[in-house]
């Protein structure tokens, strides 16, 4: 099962802001769009009107991109940009842009955060690069996907996604149907034009409008897919590219063609997420101040009992919500991405065992993009809009709802064998695309990027979201790529405690030093 990819640990939360501009056209039920240009060439010839912003510390501007590249003159959206100029212009290499993952996370905010002295990620590259941030279409400031209201989203996440009977399964289907119908109602026509292939073309319009021959790029998690698409379509325009925690674009999920695996799941082969939770409990048990049980097996049993208990009788949180099994599991799931969150997990579980679900709910909020004021960012709906665009269009809506629900139940039974903690919940909470209101736009395919310069790939050995095997496959398929492996659990290799990885990335971006093939980092 695939899982949602997460952003850099240090990245601040998205601001819940969208922008419009003069000369607006509106489409019923859709985000505000801007006056289109007649041809793709006209979009490529744009010039950006940069204005001071962020108290004069940055420059802000925007470009227009066509909603449909096959009909560029029909409709356009505005893509706001932020630029931090190189602090050493005499040594300037070019423009560096980035995407932190998701899909659904904000590249605009990632660059904006580089103004913060605490940022140790992109900020260091500003010495020799202009940092330029953008939100992919459907995200944040760029015609953000809109689905449910904040209250409706709270209610959706309170759904019992671990049903035990046919009525419960139908309630799950109804929840997904309400969610996806709202996405179409509030986002309109744009919902059919949010796939990654469109974003790659938007990126080249941005490159051209910036007046750059080459675009340097740092992609994380899902952002590595964008980088691969860009390098495949525009190899001559690629400068230096690093992709961290690799998403394999050839990985195909035909959601409408369920073929049972002839080999039954092996209960001794725990899922990566369940293994990490066991590691978390074991690490806690080894400390004298562990707020959980000092026997990891007992702690795991108590954790499962907690999930069962809140599933039947949700517990209170300090903001008035109730913590049921779905929100609790999302909170635990979020903690598995980053070892720095393990102490929060321990405290949250200990509090929940004593009847206070606040800590687990707050961890879950980080996963779904909910602020401490109860506002949701566009990250969750944008995630599904992009994910659901990637499938075989010929198979869309090819099964009855009865077939779908029966297969979901079967999938849940299988998933629970290797993931006793998360399996059933994930099987029922993640098949949003089976109810998606518009057909997919692209089929997964292998990317080769012939003609692009050497692409540096990074991946942790124990990454629960982007498996090392995927990175190895991508490294084999790309025409020119070097994979650097870090022996480490968790998601994201760069700026995550490895001096070895950080030195390789800095050396490549600053001096063009390509790491040796087979390079490994053990710190």
């Amino acid at each position: 099962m695939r899982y949602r990819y997460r952003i850099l640990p240090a990245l601040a939360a998205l601001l819940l802001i969208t922008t419009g501009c003069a000369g607006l056209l509106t489409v019923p039920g859709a985000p505000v769009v801007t006056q289109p240009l007649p041809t793709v060439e006209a979009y490529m010839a744009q010039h950006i009107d940069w204005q001071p912003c962020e108290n004069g510390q940055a420059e802000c501007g925007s470009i227009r991109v066509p909603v449909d590249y096959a009909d560029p003159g029909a409709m356009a959206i505005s893509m706001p940009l932020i630029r931090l100029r190189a602090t050493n212009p005499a040594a300037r290499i070019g423009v560096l842009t980035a995407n932190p993952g998701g899909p659904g996370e904000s590249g605009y905010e990632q660059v904006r955060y580089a103004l913060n002295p605490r940022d140790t990620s992109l900020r260091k590259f500003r010495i020799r690069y202009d940092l330029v941030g953008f939100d992919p279409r459907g995200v944040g400031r760029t015609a953000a996907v809109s689905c449910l209201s904040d209250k409706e989203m709270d209610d959706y996440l309170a759904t019992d996604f671990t049903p035990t009977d046919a009525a419960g399964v139908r309630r799950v289907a109804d929840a997904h149907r309400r969610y996806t119908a709202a996405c179409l109602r509030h986002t309109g026509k744009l919902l059919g034009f949010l796939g990654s292939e469109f974003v790659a073309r938007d990126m080249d319009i941005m490159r051209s409008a910036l007046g750059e021959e080459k675009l340097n790029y740092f992609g994380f998690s899902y952002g590595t897919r964008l980088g691969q698409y860009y390098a495949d379509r525009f190899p001559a325009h690629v400068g230096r590219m690093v992709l961290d925690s690799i998403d394999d674009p050839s990985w195909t999920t035909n959601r409408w063609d369920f073929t049972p695996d002839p080999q039954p799941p092996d209960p001794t082969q725990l899922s990566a997420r369940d293994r990490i939770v066991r590691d978390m409990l074991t690490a806690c048990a080894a400390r004298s101040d562990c707020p959980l049980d000092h026997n990891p097996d007992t702690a795991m049993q108590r954790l499962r009992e907690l999930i069962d208990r809140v599933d039947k009788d949700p517990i209170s949180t300090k903001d008035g919500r109730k913590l049921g099994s779905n929100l609790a599991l999302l909170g635990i799931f979020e903690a598995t991405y980053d070892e720095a969150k393990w102490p929060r997990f321990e405290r949250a579980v200990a509090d929940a065992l004593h009847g206070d679900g606040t800590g687990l709910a707050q961890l879950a909020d980080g996963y779904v993009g909910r602020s401490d004021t109860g506002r949701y960012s566009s990250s969750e709906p944008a995630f599904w809009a992009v994910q659901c665009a990637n499938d075989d269009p010929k198979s869309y809506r090819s099964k009855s709802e009865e077939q779908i629900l029966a297969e979901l139940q079967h999938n849940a039974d299988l998933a629970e064998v290797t993931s006793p903690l998360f399996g059933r919940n994930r099987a029922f909470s993640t098949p949003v695309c089976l109810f998606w209101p518009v057909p997919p736009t692209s089929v997964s395919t292998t990317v080769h990027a012939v003609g692009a310069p050497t692409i540096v790939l990074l991946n942790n050995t124990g990454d629960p979201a982007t498996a090392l095997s995927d990175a190895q496959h991508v490294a084999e398929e790309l025409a020119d790529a070097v994979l650097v492996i870090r022996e480490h659990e968790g998601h994201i290799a760069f700026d995550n405690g490895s001096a070895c990885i950080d030195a390789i990335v800095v050396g490549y971006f600053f001096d063009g030093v390509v790491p040796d093939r087979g390079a490994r980092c053990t710190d």
Side-chain angles (χ1 to χ4, degrees):
M1 180 185 295
R2 283 285 167 135
Y3 298 98
R4 183 170 187 173
Y5 317 125
R6 302 307 298 156
I7 62 174
L8 289 169
L11 186 58
L14 290 177
L15 293 179
L16 303 175
I17 299 173
T18 57
T19 58
C21 61
L24 299 176
L25 301 175
T26 60
V27 178
V32 175
V33 296
T34 189
Q35 185 68 41
L37 299 172
T39 64
V40 172
E41 290 73 20
Y43 287 97
M44 299 293 289
Q46 292 176 87
H47 295 281
I48 303 169
D49 179 20
W50 294 108
Q51 298 295 327
C53 60
E54 300 295 331
N55 296 319
Q57 298 180 84
E59 298 169 302
C60 293
S62 66
I63 58 173
R64 285 178 274 181
V65 295
V67 170
D68 182 358
Y69 277 87
D71 190 8
M75 188 185 304
I77 55 177
S78 176
M79 177 184 286
L81 307 175
I82 185 170
R83 178 170 68 179
L84 311 184
R85 286 191 177 273
T87 56
N88 185 359
R92 180 185 180 275
I93 295 170
V95 163
L96 176 64
T97 192
N99 181 274
E105 306 301 347
S106 172
Y108 188 107
E109 288 299 315
Q110 187 179 18
V111 167
R112 182 172 175 266
Y113 189 63
L115 290 170
N116 191 322
R118 293 177 295 175
D119 178 39
T120 56
S121 179
L122 292 187
R123 182 181 176 88
K124 59 171 61 93
F125 300 110
R126 190 184 174 189
I127 299 171
R128 300 189 64 190
Y129 286 93
D130 293 346
L131 303 183
V132 174
F134 74 99
D135 288 345
R137 55 174 64 200
V139 176
R141 291 168 168 80
T142 306
V145 177
S146 177
C147 296
L148 301 174
S149 70
D150 295 331
K151 176 61 169 62
E152 290 169 336
M153 191 65 181
D154 280 346
D155 293 341
Y156 173 72
L157 293 174
T159 301
D160 179 4
F161 286 114
T162 55
T164 56
D165 55 26
V169 172
R170 291 208 168 271
R171 284 193 293 272
V172 166
D174 289 342
H176 287 319
R177 217 176 357 252
R178 286 193 298 272
Y179 182 96
T180 57
C183 295
L184 182 60
R185 186 168 61 251
H186 294 299
T187 306
K189 181 179 179 180
L190 181 63
L191 206 62
F193 297 91
L194 295 176
S196 304
E197 69 276 13
F198 296 106
V199 180
R201 297 190 69 171
D202 296 346
M203 289 168 62
D204 205 52
I205 288 179
M206 179 181 71
R207 174 203 59 79
S208 180
L210 289 167
E212 298 289 325
E213 292 185 9
K214 306 281 187 180
L215 191 65
N216 305 287
Y217 180 78
F218 202 166
F220 300 85
S221 202
Y222 163 77
T224 68
R225 178 179 291 234
L226 286 184
Q228 292 172 72
Y229 276 27
Y230 185 80
D232 193 58
R233 189 175 185 93
F234 305 105
H237 296 162
V238 176
R240 295 172 185 173
M241 180 177 288
V242 176
L243 306 179
D244 183 347
S245 304
I246 309 302
D247 178 21
D248 185 351
S250 71
W251 191 85
T252 302
T253 300
N254 187 335
R255 302 173 179 93
W256 301 91
D257 182 23
F258 174 72
T259 303
D261 192 331
Q263 298 296 323
D266 182 352
T268 66
Q269 300 297 315
L270 281 181
S271 75
R273 297 290 178 172
D274 283 59
R275 290 199 308 271
I276 290 177
V277 173
R278 178 164 290 280
D279 290 343
M280 294 158 71
L281 296 174
T282 301
C284 182
R287 301 194 327 268
S288 59
D289 63 345
C290 176
L292 306 177
D293 201 282
H294 288 278
N295 182 318
D297 293 332
T298 304
M300 179 64 83
Q301 181 61 32
R302 293 185 68 195
L303 184 61
R304 292 176 183 168
E305 290 171 353
L306 170 67
I307 299 302
D308 290 341
R309 187 161 66 251
V310 300
D311 185 57
K312 297 178 179 67
D313 186 16
I315 59 177
S316 298
T317 70
K318 291 178 180 177
D319 64 7
R321 285 180 292 169
K322 291 289 188 177
L323 183 91
S325 60
N326 184 56
L327 211 58
L329 287 168
L330 283 175
I332 299 167
F333 198 79
E334 169 70 2
T336 64
Y337 279 99
D338 185 3
E339 192 170 343
K341 294 177 181 174
W342 292 11
R344 285 184 63 192
F345 159 82
E346 296 170 6
R347 292 192 299 272
V349 172
D351 289 345
L353 288 169
H354 289 91
D356 180 3
T358 304
L360 282 176
Q362 289 174 341
L363 277 168
D365 290 345
Y367 186 82
V368 297
R370 186 184 191 272
S371 74
D372 56 7
T373 61
R375 296 291 309 279
Y376 285 88
S377 75
S378 64
S379 63
E380 185 76 5
F383 171 83
W384 290 118
V386 175
Q387 291 291 73
C388 298
N390 185 37
D391 203 349
D392 184 357
K394 296 178 182 178
S395 298
Y396 179 70
R397 300 292 191 197
S398 60
K399 292 190 175 181
S400 68
E401 181 161 309
E402 289 71 22
Q403 288 175 296
I404 291 171
L405 298 186
E407 290 175 2
L408 288 179
Q409 180 65 61
H410 185 74
N411 282 340
D413 292 342
L414 294 178
E416 201 167 23
V417 174
T418 56
S419 180
L421 189 61
F422 298 112
R424 179 164 293 272
N425 171 272
R426 300 299 290 179
F428 281 109
S429 66
T430 61
V432 176
C433 298
L434 291 174
F435 303 89
W436 202 245
V438 297
T441 56
S442 63
V443 180
S444 296
T445 184
T446 300
V447 168
H448 301 296
V450 176
T454 304
I455 299 173
V456 174
L457 312 178
L458 313 173
N459 219 91
N460 291 334
T461 53
D463 192 320
T466 52
L468 177 59
S469 58
D470 287 356
Q472 291 168 328
H473 180 250
V474 168
E476 292 172 356
E477 294 295 337
L478 287 174
D480 188 358
V482 172
L483 172 63
V484 180
I485 297 173
R486 182 189 178 194
E487 296 177 10
H488 183 71
E489 298 287 327
H491 193 44
I492 304 298
F494 177 73
D495 190 36
N496 212 3
S498 172
C500 171
I501 287 288
D502 293 356
I504 286 172
V505 173
V506 171
Y508 176 72
F509 272 131
F510 280 175
D511 302 315
V513 177
V514 176
D516 294 335
R517 296 188 184 278
R520 298 181 77 94
C521 291
T522 58
D523 61 345

